[in-house]
Amino acid sequence: MEQAIVAGGCFWCTEAVMKDVIGVTEVESGYIGGNAAHPTYKEVCSGVTGHAEAVRVTYDADQLSYADLLDVFMGTHDPSQLNRQGNDVGTQYRSAIFPLDDDQRAEAEAAIARWDAEHAGQKAVTTIEGPAEWYPAEDYHQEYWEGEGQRNPYCLAVIPPKLMKLRKSFQKYLKTEA
């Protein structure tokens, strides 16, 4: 199994998308890229720690390449928005890739270049950061969409369009037909 760490705005949204991708066996929400040890959700949301809301994805590289995972990531959020996704504004909602080695760093650069080439007139502001310490988010953030998220008006407004984009644009990477 391999791991990837990406930040694409609200981690609830990114987690919901990644859980539907073939080869993905685990998605953990957390914080990365900041300057405080063991930050809390409240601290990260305030923007003072410098962390991004992110997900750590565990996946089977025989079913899904890192490059394909990054293409799904880039294609299911708006990497052209600086320090925001929709109404979520601040550096904690930045678009970022946190490569775990030099090969992942090269793939991250290539994924951003592919997105830029496919979106004439737009440029991804996705950063490539790290290495950085990973901090799992509090338990109530894990698998949020499957539980509390189904009753959260914010999630109900933001997550279904991302899942529809996954189903429309990345059909071959879906775990099941939806």
Side-chain angles (χ1 to χ4, degrees):
M1 294 302 219
E2 301 287 331
Q3 289 193 321
I5 301 175
V6 294
C10 166
F11 51 28
W12 299 333
C13 301
T14 311
E15 179 190 68
V17 168
M18 289 295 166
K19 287 182 95 46
D20 279 355
V21 176
I22 60 166
V24 172
T25 59
E26 184 180 354
V27 183
E28 179 181 51
S29 291
Y31 316 113
I32 191 167
N35 54 30
H38 306 286
T40 65
Y41 181 65
K42 185 175 181 180
E43 290 168 338
V44 171
C45 285
S46 75
V48 299
T49 69
H51 290 87
E53 285 192 16
V55 295
R56 181 166 60 181
V57 180
T58 303
Y59 65 99
D60 181 346
D62 290 335
Q63 294 182 45
L64 179 73
S65 71
Y66 183 68
D68 291 338
L69 184 147
L70 291 179
D71 287 344
V72 169
F73 165 69
M74 295 292 288
T76 54
H77 79 292
D78 185 351
S80 70
Q81 289 190 340
L82 183 61
N83 296 329
R84 74 176 302 151
Q85 285 297 298
N87 291 330
D88 291 330
V89 179
T91 58
Q92 66 272 32
Y93 302 113
R94 67 189 178 269
S95 175
I97 301 168
F98 293 84
L100 301 175
D101 58 34
D102 290 341
D103 289 339
Q104 283 192 355
R105 182 171 295 277
E107 288 288 351
E109 290 169 359
I112 292 168
R114 280 192 303 276
W115 191 91
D116 285 348
E118 293 169 6
H119 296 83
Q122 289 186 299
K123 183 161 178 52
V125 294
T126 304
T127 56
I128 299 173
E129 301 181 33
E133 187 76 24
W134 172 258
Y135 298 100
E138 297 83 349
D139 287 346
Y140 70 92
H141 292 295
Q142 309 304 330
E143 298 181 4
Y144 192 81
W145 176 239
E146 287 85 5
E148 182 66 27
Q150 299 289 318
R151 296 179 298 281
N152 180 317
Y154 167 82
C155 290
L156 290 169
V158 176
I159 293 175
K162 290 179 181 287
L163 293 173
M164 291 301 292
K165 190 165 191 178
L166 173 69
R167 287 170 175 79
K168 181 180 178 206
S169 301
F170 298 98
Q171 213 169 37
K172 69 181 181 179
Y173 299 118
L174 285 175
K175 283 185 178 171
T176 58
E177 292 299 317

